[in-house]
């Protein structure tokens, strides 16, 4: 058998030492927490299985070593490249699904979760229903009246007092953090408290698609995979109430061209929405209705 | 079913979107090289399978993100932490096995390879057989006369002119690169050319066990796994000849206490050697005989 590497990954791995991976795992000591043993053990197994499956070459391994070093070397206090790398590999979306997947008893599904992303702020101000989150108007912004009802998964009844937290990029594709010359802190951020009928309403922008940074390892990886760096336009929301399981998610205009190839894989069917023309409101030209369904805090779903 | 994470990794993954991983893979474009598609595709599959298998939590994922960033932030021009992380996970040794594994026809096995490590130098000088590689004596060094024969795997005949390149740490556990105050360049390094009988001989030190650095992410990972940071004592060798498949490997004293738990998993049975007392040589108190067996360059082994 040749010692050069196969190109189809189908070569039998039986020619390699069958005890090697177990030997590595067995060096873990007795003082390892059970969960740590489980997670790191599985990580080692999958890394080894990956290397044997593709017969990873020395050059490929060394390219990977250099790539991993470059991730941390690109990161700063305000740029988290490892986070971004895991996003473009689909890992953050998968972890989000693992954490929030609920198999329900009935026909009604709770609102799907999606990834938090790096731009949420704990400092967004409460605003009154009917107010606008637009502090710094952008000439390309299309003002939208967004409204909806927050209801209980099991009873269908409204959830008065639920907090609807929204944040979004401006029409230039940048969040306040990233654009201090044009945006004041908390521009396009706000929290709204649902009224006695579980209703919220306010003014925001139709969202704008944007590109991930194209000057670092995440973009190098995207280029290697012949993928684009675009996120579809989206609005981030986080809906919470002390008696309910909160929902952090994102909403996407149905006509966005990047929906099916979102570079971080955060789109789900029930999160795709229609913006409609709005007449008779001098503050907005578009309307978006989005209703949120939350399960009670102790709801376990179908076992 | 609970959305909290299982502790045994045995929960069915069927409740997660069965199409997610394929969707991520399908975003790779048509201009991806076949080998790149194979390697990155397998990498994504194994990362996803790992996350689903252990039901990776958001906190664990974020801890991993911070850990990956810290690797590059610890690396410098003279310190490669990603290389070291892959070593303590067994990956460099596995890649070395994949590259060099040869299944032979007959009873004689070629000398096993082992990892190169970060301390080989292309600038080691040629020295004459019988010379010493000890430029800067260390009071704790135990001088050893090392010698042996380099032979052909198939014919058993000697390989005159084969180059035997040796490098080792001094008795303080440091290589010349790491210890400029005590060691001049090329201390404990040298290349020797086998004579007409395939023989080489020179003076070196009995090797000394040493610890990996304990101030970075690799050591953090070892602590998480309740593992020590020790490498068993070893001598590095690289044996080459234009007509043979070269061998890069390491030799270990049989009485070393770290053999079975080498922190980088680079020990193999045929690389464990006995140092013997030497009498009648005023330059050395120990002797090590090590014979090297090389396959011809075009030898493919058993298919």
């Amino acid at each position: 058998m040749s010692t050069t590497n196969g190109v189809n990954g189908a070569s039998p791995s039986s020619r390699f030492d069958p005890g090697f991976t177990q030997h590595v795992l067995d060096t873990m000591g007795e003082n390892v927490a059970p969960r740590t043993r489980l997670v790191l053990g599985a990580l080692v197994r999958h890394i080894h299985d990956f290397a044997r499956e593709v017969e990873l070459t020395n050059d490929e391994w060394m390219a990977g070593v250099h790539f991993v070093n470059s991730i941390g070397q690109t990161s700063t206090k305000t740029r988290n490249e490892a986070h971004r790398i895991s996003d473009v590999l689909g890992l953050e979306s998968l972890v989000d699904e693992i954490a929030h997947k609920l198999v329900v008893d009935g026909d009604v599904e709770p609102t799907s979760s999606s990834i938090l992303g790096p731009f949420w702020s704990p400092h967004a101000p409460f605003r009154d229903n009917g107010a606008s989150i637009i502090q710094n108007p952008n000439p390309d912004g299309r003002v939208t009246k967004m409204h909806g009802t927050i209801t209980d998964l099991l009873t269908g009844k409204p959830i008065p007092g639920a907090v609807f937290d929204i944040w979004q990029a401006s029409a230039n594709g940048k969040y306040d953090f990233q654009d201090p010359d044009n945006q004041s802190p908390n521009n396009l951020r706000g929290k709204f408290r649902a009224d006695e009928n579980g209703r919220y309403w306010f003014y925001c922008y139709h969202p704008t698609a944007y590109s991930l940074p194209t000057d670092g390892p995440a973009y190098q990886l995207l280029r290697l995979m012949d993928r684009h760096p675009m996120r579809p336009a989206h609005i981030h929301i986080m809906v919470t109430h002390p008696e309910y399981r909160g929902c952090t998610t994102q909403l996407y205009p149905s006509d966005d061209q990047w929906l099916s190839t979102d570079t971080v894989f955060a789109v789900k069917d029930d999160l795709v929405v229609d913006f409609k023309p709005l007449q008779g409101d001098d503050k907005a030209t578009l309307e978006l209705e989005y209703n949120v369904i939350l399960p009670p805090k102790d709801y376990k779903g179908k076992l």
Side-chain angles (χ1 to χ4, degrees), chain A residues 137-277:
Chain A
N138 182 303
D140 296 325
R142 288 182 285 161
V143 182
T144 297
K145 180 176 183 179
M146 183 167 174
H147 62 95
T149 305
I150 303 164
T151 57
D152 181 309
L153 172 72
L154 302 183
T155 66
K157 290 183 180 168
I159 308 177
V163 173
F164 192 101
D165 186 355
I166 174 175
W167 65 107
Q168 66 176 165
S170 189
N172 62 358
K174 293 187 177 173
Y175 293 84
D176 58 353
F177 296 165
Q178 301 174 295
D179 194 23
D181 291 346
N182 299 305
Q183 299 183 51
S184 53
N186 296 317
N187 185 44
L188 298 170
R189 299 178 187 275
K191 290 178 189 155
F192 298 86
R193 204 176 290 280
D195 71 6
E196 67 277 14
N197 298 313
R199 295 184 62 247
Y200 72 88
W201 64 102
F202 56 78
Y203 294 93
C204 62
Y205 278 148
H206 182 287
T208 301
Y210 60 79
S211 171
L212 299 191
T214 56
D215 61 349
Y219 187 64
Q220 284 176 29
L221 186 59
L222 289 169
R223 292 306 307 145
L224 262 180
M225 295 193 283
D226 192 21
R227 284 171 47 188
H228 65 72
M230 297 300 293
R231 288 228 60 208
H234 58 277
I235 291 174
H236 291 274
I237 64 172
M238 179 189 288
V239 185
T240 54
H241 185 283
E243 294 164 23
Y244 288 84
R245 191 177 297 177
C247 179
T248 299
T249 195
Q250 303 182 28
L251 305 176
Y252 305 89
S254 59
D255 57 353
D256 190 279
Q257 69 175 300
W258 311 107
L259 285 182
S260 65
T261 58
D262 176 13
T263 193
V264 304
F265 309 103
V267 179
K268 295 174 186 174
D269 290 347
D270 65 316
L271 304 176
V272 176
V273 296
D274 289 316
F275 287 73
K276 293 179 178 158

Side-chain angles (χ1 to χ4, degrees), chain A residues 51-190:
Chain A
R52 281 185 288 252
E53 179 182 320
V54 304
E55 298 203 4
L56 195 69
T57 70
N58 203 277
D59 287 350
E60 289 163 349
W61 162 72
M62 191 46 82
V65 162
H66 290 312
F67 185 79
V68 170
N69 279 328
S70 76
I71 294 170
Q73 286 161 353
T74 303
S75 290
T76 65
K77 283 196 177 179
T78 56
R79 178 172 182 170
N80 189 332
E81 198 72 5
H83 186 152
R84 195 158 275 140
I85 292 282
S86 70
D87 283 2
V88 304
L89 294 176
L91 184 57
E92 186 179 6
S93 279
L94 183 55
V95 166
D96 179 73
E97 183 192 15
I98 291 168
H100 297 106
K101 187 76 174 188
L102 197 60
V103 180
V104 298
D105 296 308
D107 295 335
V108 181
E109 297 273 347
T111 300
S112 290
S113 72
S114 188
I115 61 177
L116 177 67
F119 296 113
W120 177 75
S121 166
H123 305 303
F126 271 99
R127 304 182 194 265
D128 292 332
N129 278 308
S132 174
I133 62 172
I134 306 164
Q135 297 174 178
N136 309 105
N138 182 303
D140 296 325
R142 288 182 285 161
V143 182
T144 297
K145 180 176 183 179
M146 183 167 174
H147 62 95
T149 305
I150 303 164
T151 57
D152 181 309
L153 172 72
L154 302 183
T155 66
K157 290 183 180 168
I159 308 177
V163 173
F164 192 101
D165 186 355
I166 174 175
W167 65 107
Q168 66 176 165
S170 189
N172 62 358
K174 293 187 177 173
Y175 293 84
D176 58 353
F177 296 165
Q178 301 174 295
D179 194 23
D181 291 346
N182 299 305
Q183 299 183 51
S184 53
N186 296 317
N187 185 44
L188 298 170
R189 299 178 187 275

Side-chain angles (χ1 to χ4, degrees), chain A residues 279-293:
Chain A
Q279 261 130 30
D281 186 327
D282 60 2
K283 295 187 198 147
T285 58
L286 294 169
E287 175 184 11
L288 172 62
E289 178 177 10
Y290 194 73
N291 301 315
V292 175
I293 300 173

